[in-house]
């Protein structure tokens, strides 16, 4: 099963980049003279050593991430305070120049004029200013496709109580991992203040396939037990079924609980099989889970405000379009090459 790779997201060049082996590479090697093949084997041993050095490189990158996470955290704590409304930002902290500033000012003027007209028609009802930034994280969940696909309508009232999401890196000397912490205010759904999801990682070449190493990969994950308040568990639903007695013919109605689609199933993940043998559905589900955890860590948590405003979504879409255009060009080139080959095979009839 392919695990989510961590390489490339660190913004550091891979020192041991690899090249995919062409089809027939084993055949090519078998055709080499014995003395040359012997030297190729020596090069492969060197390549394995390079992979081991690369693994150490990524271990140090992980330590750097842990070090800088401590520097980011005070800023993220302040973000949480602004979002929840426990702290009001100062005028200086609110200063921001936007390219859309003039458009926003014009729109604001139009809104003000409309508000004045409405006030003339009916008595203005005094309303309290909202506290913090309401539904900050829920808005992000609903805006990002990867998360909105997991989100159900019955999850939304719960996620309105989400105060913060944090990433914690494993301590020095511990196996490489990171933990997602979802901090909730007191709510009527469960008693946990924090829900956690641990992603275990590996940064070492596989002994059986050392040349496949491409950096750290997520190999397993572990959720947490949610202490649901009675009758509030959205991960299950109660259904009623009628059963008919074979002998007497009487009918009775029974109720039972069955699994229900919910974002909160995220905290009860499929477990990776120790021997690597999993059915296709479980393998796909686990791969999706790894990708989601990686996305939270690398994109959502560090750039939350940009996903709230939609600016990060625009960047992601631009990147996807660019990749698509490049792919289309490559396919077109391949088609042109095929056409050229076909033209070359045509011979005039006598």
């Amino acid at each position: 099963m392919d695990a989510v790779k961590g390489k490339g997201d660190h913004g550091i060049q891979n020192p041991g980049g690899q090249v995919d082996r062409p089809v027939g590479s084993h055949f090519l090697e078998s055709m080499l003279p014995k003395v040359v093949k012997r030297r190729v084997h020596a090069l492969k041993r060197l390549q394995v050593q390079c992979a081991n050095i690369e693994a150490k490189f990524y271990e140090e990158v992980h330590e750097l991430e842990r070090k800088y996470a401590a520097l980011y955290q005070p800023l993220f704590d302040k973000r949480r305070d602004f979002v929840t409304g426990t702290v009001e930002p100062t005028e200086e902290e609110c200063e921001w120049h936007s390219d859309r500033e003039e458009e926003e000012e014009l729109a604001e003027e139009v809104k003000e004029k409309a508000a004045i007209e409405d006030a003339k028609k009916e008595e203005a009802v005094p309303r309290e200013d909202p506290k913090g930034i309401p539904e900050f994280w829920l808005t992000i969940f609903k805006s990002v496709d990867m998360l909105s696909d997991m989100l159900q309508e019955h999850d939304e009232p719960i996620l309105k109580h989400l105060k913060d999401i944090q990433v914690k890196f494993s301590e020095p000397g511990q196996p490489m991992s990171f933990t997602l912490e979802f901090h909730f205010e007191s709510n009527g759904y469960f008693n946990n203040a924090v829900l956690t999801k641990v992603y275990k990682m590996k940064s070492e070449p596989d002994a059986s396939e050392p040349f496949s190493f491409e950096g750290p990969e997520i190999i397993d994950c572990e959720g947490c037990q949610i202490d649901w308040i009675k009758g509030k568990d959205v991960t299950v639903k109660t259904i009623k079924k009628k059963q008919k007695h074979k002998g007497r013919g009487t009918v009775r109605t029974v109720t039972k609980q069955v699994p229900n689609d919910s974002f909160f199933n995220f905290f009860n993940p499929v477990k990776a099989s120790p021997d690597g043998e999993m059915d296709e559905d479980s393998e796909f589900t686990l791969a999706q889970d790894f990708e989601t955890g990686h996305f939270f860590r690398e994109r959502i948590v560090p750039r939350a405000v940009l996903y709230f405003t939609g600016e990060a979504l625009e960047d992601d879409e631009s990147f996807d379009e660019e990749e698509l255009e490049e792919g289309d060009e490559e396919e077109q080139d391949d088609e042109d090459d095929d056409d050229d080959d076909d033209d070359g095979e045509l011979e005039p009839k006598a």
Side-chain angles (χ1 to χ4, degrees):
M1 181 184 68
D2 292 335
V4 175
K5 306 293 183 181
K7 188 175 88 175
D9 291 311
H10 304 301
I12 301 177
Q13 283 290 334
N14 173 12
Q18 299 170 34
V19 178
D20 293 336
R21 289 178 294 176
V23 177
S25 58
H26 290 298
F27 175 75
L28 173 64
E29 188 175 332
S30 67
M31 296 297 289
L32 295 172
K34 188 174 181 180
V35 65
V36 176
K37 190 187 300 184
R38 180 173 171 273
R39 293 167 189 148
V40 169
H41 291 168
L43 294 183
K44 285 187 174 182
R45 286 177 63 87
L46 293 176
Q47 190 63 41
V48 171
Q49 292 177 52
C50 287
N52 289 325
I53 292 173
E54 185 181 0
K56 294 294 182 185
F57 165 80
Y58 284 114
E59 287 177 7
E60 292 197 21
V61 168
H62 186 74
E63 288 303 307
L64 275 176
E65 286 185 308
R66 189 180 61 80
K67 172 185 173 182
Y68 278 87
L71 301 179
Y72 287 128
Q73 195 55 51
L75 302 177
F76 292 156
D77 288 343
K78 186 172 280 192
R79 176 179 72 185
R80 177 202 60 215
D81 292 342
F82 291 166
V83 166
T84 58
T86 55
V87 173
E88 184 65 28
T90 65
E91 288 298 322
E92 183 180 355
E93 288 172 324
C94 292
E95 286 183 8
W96 181 255
H97 175 73
S98 169
D99 292 338
R100 303 172 187 169
E101 198 169 299
E102 292 183 7
E103 294 178 14
E104 291 170 355
E105 286 178 0
L106 287 172
E108 196 62 37
E109 287 179 11
V110 171
K111 287 180 184 177
E112 287 177 5
K113 289 179 181 178
I116 292 170
E117 291 299 321
D118 291 340
K120 289 177 181 177
K121 294 176 183 177
E122 58 184 67
E123 289 184 7
V125 179
R127 289 189 296 179
E128 292 183 7
D129 288 335
K131 184 180 178 182
I133 304 177
E135 302 182 13
F136 178 80
W137 292 103
L138 175 58
T139 301
I140 294 172
F141 272 64
K142 293 168 76 172
S143 301
V144 177
D145 288 344
M146 183 184 293
L147 304 182
S148 65
D149 289 344
M150 304 164 65
L151 190 65
Q152 305 298 319
E153 189 174 347
H154 47 253
D155 296 325
E156 295 186 17
I158 309 176
L159 288 170
K160 288 180 181 180
H161 297 284
L162 180 58
K163 297 191 299 183
D164 197 18
I165 306 176
Q166 298 181 10
V167 180
K168 304 291 186 183
F169 293 93
S170 52
E171 294 296 326
Q174 293 183 343
M176 186 182 291
S177 68
F178 67 91
T179 302
L180 299 176
E181 294 183 351
F182 295 74
H183 294 251
F184 286 84
E185 62 188 13
S186 180
N187 61 79
Y189 297 91
F190 48 74
N191 295 313
N192 312 62
V194 183
L195 301 181
T196 60
K197 184 78 169 281
V198 180
Y199 286 89
K200 301 173 184 178
M201 303 178 72
K202 183 181 79 170
S203 181
E204 60 185 31
D206 191 309
S208 60
E209 295 183 5
F211 304 134
S212 66
F213 181 70
E214 293 184 348
E217 58 183 349
I218 298 173
I219 55 172
D220 199 5
C221 60
E222 187 175 315
C224 68
Q225 185 72 38
I226 301 179
D227 183 16
W228 293 101
I229 293 172
K230 187 176 180 181
K232 296 294 185 177
D233 186 350
V234 295
T235 64
V236 295
K237 60 183 176 181
T238 302
I239 61 171
K240 294 182 179 180
K241 292 184 70 176
K242 290 186 177 180
Q243 293 180 343
K244 186 175 182 180
H245 193 280
K246 291 181 180 178
R248 296 191 296 269
T250 55
V251 177
R252 66 173 183 173
T253 301
V254 296
T255 61
K256 67 174 183 176
Q257 287 191 328
V258 296
N260 193 29
D261 289 338
S262 168
F263 165 74
F264 291 91
N265 290 322
F266 180 69
F267 299 97
N268 183 27
V270 173
K271 292 296 294 178
S273 174
D275 58 9
E277 294 297 324
M278 298 180 70
D279 63 76
E280 191 173 337
D281 288 343
S282 297
E283 188 172 320
F284 177 75
T285 300
L286 194 58
Q288 278 193 316
D289 191 311
F290 290 175
E291 186 177 356
T292 302
H294 187 72
F295 194 75
F296 267 118
R297 165 189 159 171
E298 295 292 336
R299 306 287 291 175
I300 297 294
V301 173
R303 311 181 75 206
V305 65
L306 301 182
Y307 281 97
F308 177 79
T309 62
E311 292 164 88
L313 297 172
E314 293 172 7
D315 291 343
D316 290 347
E317 287 170 4
S318 298
F319 183 73
D320 290 341
E321 287 174 6
E322 189 174 317
E323 278 192 334
L324 184 62
E325 287 171 5
E326 288 177 0
D328 289 344
E329 287 176 7
E330 288 174 6
E331 288 178 12
Q332 185 63 45
D333 289 342
D334 291 341
E335 290 172 6
D336 292 343
D337 290 342
D338 292 341
D339 291 341
D340 292 343
D341 291 341
D342 292 342
D343 291 344
E345 290 170 6
L346 292 174
E347 292 193 7
K349 295 181 180 179

PDB file of all heavy atoms in Angstrom, residues 50-62:
ATOM      1  N   CYS A  50      23.376   6.019  -0.004  1.00  0.00           N
ATOM      2  CA  CYS A  50      22.775   7.345  -0.227  1.00  0.00           C
ATOM      3  C   CYS A  50      21.375   7.401   0.383  1.00  0.00           C
ATOM      4  O   CYS A  50      20.992   8.410   1.001  1.00  0.00           O
ATOM      5  CB  CYS A  50      22.696   7.646  -1.726  1.00  0.00           C
ATOM      6  SG  CYS A  50      24.279   8.032  -2.499  1.00  0.00           S
ATOM      7  N   ALA A  51      20.600   6.329   0.219  1.00  0.00           N
ATOM      8  CA  ALA A  51      19.243   6.291   0.763  1.00  0.00           C
ATOM      9  C   ALA A  51      19.272   6.374   2.285  1.00  0.00           C
ATOM     10  O   ALA A  51      18.429   7.039   2.898  1.00  0.00           O
ATOM     11  CB  ALA A  51      18.526   5.017   0.310  1.00  0.00           C
ATOM     12  N   ASN A  52      20.241   5.713   2.903  1.00  0.00           N
ATOM     13  CA  ASN A  52      20.358   5.768   4.360  1.00  0.00           C
ATOM     14  C   ASN A  52      20.730   7.171   4.840  1.00  0.00           C
ATOM     15  O   ASN A  52      20.236   7.637   5.869  1.00  0.00           O
ATOM     16  CB  ASN A  52      21.399   4.755   4.844  1.00  0.00           C
ATOM     17  CG  ASN A  52      20.914   3.319   4.708  1.00  0.00           C
ATOM     18  OD1 ASN A  52      19.736   3.035   4.885  1.00  0.00           O
ATOM     19  ND2 ASN A  52      21.812   2.411   4.374  1.00  0.00           N
ATOM     20  N   ILE A  53      21.590   7.852   4.090  1.00  0.00           N
ATOM     21  CA  ILE A  53      21.942   9.237   4.432  1.00  0.00           C
ATOM     22  C   ILE A  53      20.721  10.139   4.251  1.00  0.00           C
ATOM     23  O   ILE A  53      20.444  11.022   5.070  1.00  0.00           O
ATOM     24  CB  ILE A  53      23.112   9.731   3.557  1.00  0.00           C
ATOM     25  CG1 ILE A  53      24.400   8.988   3.921  1.00  0.00           C
ATOM     26  CG2 ILE A  53      23.310  11.235   3.710  1.00  0.00           C
ATOM     27  CD1 ILE A  53      25.569   9.282   3.002  1.00  0.00           C
ATOM     28  N   GLU A  54      19.959   9.890   3.190  1.00  0.00           N
ATOM     29  CA  GLU A  54      18.746  10.669   2.932  1.00  0.00           C
ATOM     30  C   GLU A  54      17.750  10.516   4.081  1.00  0.00           C
ATOM     31  O   GLU A  54      17.098  11.483   4.500  1.00  0.00           O
ATOM     32  CB  GLU A  54      18.103  10.203   1.625  1.00  0.00           C
ATOM     33  CG  GLU A  54      16.908  11.035   1.196  1.00  0.00           C
ATOM     34  CD  GLU A  54      16.284  10.515  -0.088  1.00  0.00           C
ATOM     35  OE1 GLU A  54      16.780   9.511  -0.638  1.00  0.00           O
ATOM     36  OE2 GLU A  54      15.298  11.119  -0.524  1.00  0.00           O
ATOM     37  N   ALA A  55      17.662   9.294   4.621  1.00  0.00           N
ATOM     38  CA  ALA A  55      16.766   9.052   5.744  1.00  0.00           C
ATOM     39  C   ALA A  55      17.180   9.893   6.951  1.00  0.00           C
ATOM     40  O   ALA A  55      16.331  10.471   7.650  1.00  0.00           O
ATOM     41  CB  ALA A  55      16.766   7.570   6.100  1.00  0.00           C
ATOM     42  N   LYS A  56      18.472   9.975   7.199  1.00  0.00           N
ATOM     43  CA  LYS A  56      18.981  10.804   8.304  1.00  0.00           C
ATOM     44  C   LYS A  56      18.668  12.281   8.066  1.00  0.00           C
ATOM     45  O   LYS A  56      18.347  13.029   8.993  1.00  0.00           O
ATOM     46  CB  LYS A  56      20.494  10.613   8.455  1.00  0.00           C
ATOM     47  CG  LYS A  56      20.906   9.212   8.883  1.00  0.00           C
ATOM     48  CD  LYS A  56      20.412   8.911  10.294  1.00  0.00           C
ATOM     49  CE  LYS A  56      20.858   7.544  10.759  1.00  0.00           C
ATOM     50  NZ  LYS A  56      20.286   7.202  12.088  1.00  0.00           N
ATOM     51  N   PHE A  57      18.780  12.693   6.799  1.00  0.00           N
ATOM     52  CA  PHE A  57      18.448  14.067   6.431  1.00  0.00           C
ATOM     53  C   PHE A  57      17.021  14.407   6.847  1.00  0.00           C
ATOM     54  O   PHE A  57      16.752  15.441   7.454  1.00  0.00           O
ATOM     55  CB  PHE A  57      18.643  14.237   4.916  1.00  0.00           C
ATOM     56  CG  PHE A  57      18.006  15.467   4.326  1.00  0.00           C
ATOM     57  CD1 PHE A  57      18.619  16.699   4.424  1.00  0.00           C
ATOM     58  CD2 PHE A  57      16.800  15.376   3.653  1.00  0.00           C
ATOM     59  CE1 PHE A  57      18.035  17.828   3.876  1.00  0.00           C
ATOM     60  CE2 PHE A  57      16.209  16.497   3.094  1.00  0.00           C
ATOM     61  CZ  PHE A  57      16.832  17.726   3.209  1.00  0.00           C
ATOM     62  N   TYR A  58      16.075  13.507   6.543  1.00  0.00           N
ATOM     63  CA  TYR A  58      14.682  13.773   6.865  1.00  0.00           C
ATOM     64  C   TYR A  58      14.404  13.695   8.360  1.00  0.00           C
ATOM     65  O   TYR A  58      13.491  14.356   8.860  1.00  0.00           O
ATOM     66  CB  TYR A  58      13.760  12.832   6.085  1.00  0.00           C
ATOM     67  CG  TYR A  58      13.622  13.250   4.649  1.00  0.00           C
ATOM     68  CD1 TYR A  58      14.111  12.457   3.615  1.00  0.00           C
ATOM     69  CD2 TYR A  58      13.025  14.459   4.330  1.00  0.00           C
ATOM     70  CE1 TYR A  58      13.996  12.863   2.299  1.00  0.00           C
ATOM     71  CE2 TYR A  58      12.908  14.875   3.010  1.00  0.00           C
ATOM     72  CZ  TYR A  58      13.395  14.076   1.999  1.00  0.00           C
ATOM     73  OH  TYR A  58      13.289  14.484   0.698  1.00  0.00           O
ATOM     74  N   GLU A  59      15.185  12.916   9.073  1.00  0.00           N
ATOM     75  CA  GLU A  59      15.052  12.908  10.532  1.00  0.00           C
ATOM     76  C   GLU A  59      15.416  14.283  11.096  1.00  0.00           C
ATOM     77  O   GLU A  59      14.775  14.778  12.026  1.00  0.00           O
ATOM     78  CB  GLU A  59      15.945  11.821  11.139  1.00  0.00           C
ATOM     79  CG  GLU A  59      15.423  10.401  10.917  1.00  0.00           C
ATOM     80  CD  GLU A  59      16.365   9.352  11.462  1.00  0.00           C
ATOM     81  OE1 GLU A  59      17.356   9.726  12.130  1.00  0.00           O
ATOM     82  OE2 GLU A  59      16.120   8.153  11.229  1.00  0.00           O
ATOM     83  N   GLU A  60      16.449  14.891  10.526  1.00  0.00           N
ATOM     84  CA  GLU A  60      16.847  16.225  10.969  1.00  0.00           C
ATOM     85  C   GLU A  60      15.813  17.274  10.557  1.00  0.00           C
ATOM     86  O   GLU A  60      15.579  18.246  11.281  1.00  0.00           O
ATOM     87  CB  GLU A  60      18.237  16.580  10.415  1.00  0.00           C
ATOM     88  CG  GLU A  60      19.350  15.735  11.015  1.00  0.00           C
ATOM     89  CD  GLU A  60      20.727  16.340  10.783  1.00  0.00           C
ATOM     90  OE1 GLU A  60      20.810  17.565  10.527  1.00  0.00           O
ATOM     91  OE2 GLU A  60      21.705  15.589  10.863  1.00  0.00           O
ATOM     92  N   VAL A  61      15.202  17.083   9.388  1.00  0.00           N
ATOM     93  CA  VAL A  61      14.121  17.987   8.963  1.00  0.00           C
ATOM     94  C   VAL A  61      12.978  17.928   9.974  1.00  0.00           C
ATOM     95  O   VAL A  61      12.396  18.956  10.346  1.00  0.00           O
ATOM     96  CB  VAL A  61      13.610  17.608   7.553  1.00  0.00           C
ATOM     97  CG1 VAL A  61      12.315  18.340   7.231  1.00  0.00           C
ATOM     98  CG2 VAL A  61      14.658  17.935   6.498  1.00  0.00           C
ATOM     99  N   HIS A  62      12.659  16.709  10.437  1.00  0.00           N
ATOM    100  CA  HIS A  62      11.603  16.546  11.436  1.00  0.00           C
ATOM    101  C   HIS A  62      11.951  17.300  12.716  1.00  0.00           C
ATOM    102  O   HIS A  62      11.088  17.939  13.329  1.00  0.00           O
ATOM    103  CB  HIS A  62      11.406  15.058  11.732  1.00  0.00           C
ATOM    104  CG  HIS A  62      10.244  14.766  12.632  1.00  0.00           C
ATOM    105  ND1 HIS A  62       8.940  14.850  12.213  1.00  0.00           N
ATOM    106  CD2 HIS A  62      10.195  14.419  13.947  1.00  0.00           C
ATOM    107  CE1 HIS A  62       8.129  14.549  13.219  1.00  0.00           C
ATOM    108  NE2 HIS A  62       8.874  14.291  14.285  1.00  0.00           N
TER     109      HIS A  62
END
